[in-house]
Amino acid sequence: MSSPYGLGASAARDRAALPRSDRFDAVDHCIAEWVERRPLPGNLRDAVRYAALGPGKRMRPRLVILSCEAVGGRCEDALIPAAAVELIHAFSLVHDDLPALDDDDLRRGRPTLHRRAGEAMAVLAGDAMLGLAVELVVRQMRPRTLAPAICEELILGCNDMIAGQVYDTLPEFDGAVPPIERLRLIHRNKTGALIRAACRMGALCGGAGEGELRAITGYGEAIGLMFQVVDDLLDVTQTTKHLGKTAGKDAEQNKLTFPAVVGLAASRAEVRRLQEASLALLEPLGETAAGLRELCEYLAVRTK
Ligand code: GRG
């Protein structure tokens, strides 16, 4: 049996479920506790809980924790940025689904937040999750001396993600820029920036040296692009039911995607190239980077 999007024999094992671990569950506890503790109107709290604690992959928090461990740090040192990056990610999904942007009804196999709680609440809950993420780091990051650097990474990643969304949905490209370059710019910002930030925050929490931070940054950039190429492939090869979000949306909206620009075979080859590049970047880190290696291999063959 081959992978549903043709990534070869290793994908025959459908690794749709990521390995569970108490240290990843701790991220949800951290978000839940923060959202419970922070004074908020009850309906806003419910909306934030629905969006931030729904059945997603928690890939960005995993990257924070595994990057911290890859440079010799401990999971608990990375929990606050791990929770913060998931709040930013959840904000981006809620706003991305709004009628003014993607206008989607389904997210994580459930109604989108604006379908459930109305458009005004979805806008405000997205805004709130952005604020809650920054406030969480400012108030709870330990050691406190790391808070400015973590905030900087988080907000740079968030702002680049928003820029990427503009390149994707409201572009103002010079006609001379070839589609593949536009596409790389969109993916690097829209999806890659927050993934890169997740990796860098984890490395900073683990006390990475210069060389380690460079390796983890390169890894984050490579898997950020790989993640989105796989996402582009899944959009054309999977069903809405399996994905838990509307499939075929990119083609319907005439989006620039890897399959649309270079075709399916070259997109699959790009995934393999990026997977190999990511793994090569981890080599100098040795055994402590085993978790990042495993995550990279899963992300290359994921089916949702
Ligand atoms: C309107 C102020 C304003 C901001 C909008 C919408 C937006 C900013 C950014 C969009 C960024 C975006 C949706 C990028 C797509 C990245 C992507 C593939 C998301 C899906 O990530 P998964 O698969 O989702 O990790 P789960 O559900 O598993 O967490």
Side-chain angles (χ1 to χ4, degrees):
M1 186 173 81
S2 66
S3 151
Y5 48 93
L7 285 173
S10 66
R13 288 160 287 146
D14 183 354
R15 284 183 262 173
L18 280 157
R20 287 196 70 79
S21 143
D22 288 349
R23 64 200 207 291
F24 300 132
D25 289 346
V27 177
D28 274 19
H29 292 305
C30 180
I31 295 174
E33 200 198 342
W34 176 228
V35 172
E36 202 55 48
R37 191 142 73 90
R38 175 69 171 75
L40 291 172
N43 50 357
L44 178 61
R45 191 191 315 282
D46 287 347
V48 167
R49 253 201 235 113
Y50 182 80
L53 295 167
K57 294 184 284 298
R58 310 290 190 271
M59 203 263 289
R60 293 150 192 84
R62 281 167 190 270
L63 283 168
V64 179
I65 290 169
L66 294 173
S67 297
C68 176
E69 292 176 346
V71 299
R74 300 171 314 163
C75 163
E76 45 283 28
D77 298 328
L79 268 186
I80 295 293
V85 79
E86 187 63 18
L87 282 164
I88 300 266
H89 170 60
F91 135 70
S92 82
L93 298 182
V94 167
H95 279 194
D96 190 47
D97 291 335
L98 284 169
L101 286 134
D102 255 8
D103 192 10
D104 230 313
D105 294 339
L106 193 66
R107 170 70 66 185
R108 295 173 164 175
R110 310 175 305 171
T112 47
L113 183 58
H114 66 272
R115 282 276 159 210
R116 181 182 148 103
E119 206 174 323
M121 181 54 84
V123 170
L124 295 168
D127 294 342
M129 286 189 279
L130 173 54
L132 284 166
V134 176
E135 188 183 340
L136 177 65
V137 174
V138 169
R139 293 196 168 189
Q140 293 191 22
M141 185 66 212
R142 300 291 179 272
R144 279 186 180 281
T145 48
L146 260 186
I150 296 297
C151 270
E152 184 178 353
E153 293 295 338
L154 193 65
I155 287 302
L156 282 176
C158 176
N159 287 341
D160 287 349
M161 173 187 76
I162 292 169
Q165 183 73 1
V166 173
Y167 293 137
D168 192 26
T169 52
L170 308 165
E172 46 164 21
F173 289 117
D174 179 326
V177 183
I180 188 71
E181 277 180 38
R182 298 178 190 199
L183 184 56
R184 285 184 189 279
L185 181 72
I186 292 168
H187 284 5
R188 187 170 69 241
N189 284 279
K190 188 179 87 164
T191 308
L194 204 58
I195 290 177
R196 177 182 190 270
C199 294
R200 283 177 60 84
M201 288 191 295
L204 291 173
C205 292
E210 227 174 87
E212 289 171 323
L213 186 58
R214 209 174 314 116
I216 297 270
T217 304
Y219 168 86
E221 288 169 355
I223 61 145
L225 181 56
M226 185 185 86
F227 181 85
Q228 188 58 52
V229 182
V230 170
D231 221 70
D232 290 355
L233 281 162
L234 295 179
D235 186 69
V236 290
T237 57
Q238 290 289 345
T239 62
T240 296
K241 186 166 186 289
H242 182 76
L243 292 177
K245 61 181 181 181
T246 314
K249 199 92 201 227
D250 294 336
E252 185 193 307
Q253 295 180 333
N254 239 339
K255 286 272 175 82
L256 270 182
T257 65
F258 264 81
V261 173
V262 303
L264 285 175
S267 302
R268 288 169 183 143
E270 181 70 356
V271 172
R272 276 186 224 106
R273 185 188 73 75
L274 290 163
Q275 181 184 8
E276 278 161 25
S278 312
L279 295 175
L281 282 156
L282 296 179
E283 258 165 40
L285 298 175
E287 240 338 273
T288 52
L292 286 180
R293 273 186 207 101
E294 190 189 354
L295 187 57
C296 170
E297 275 161 12
Y298 159 76
L299 291 176
V301 299
R302 72 191 172 98
T303 67
K304 55 169 79 174

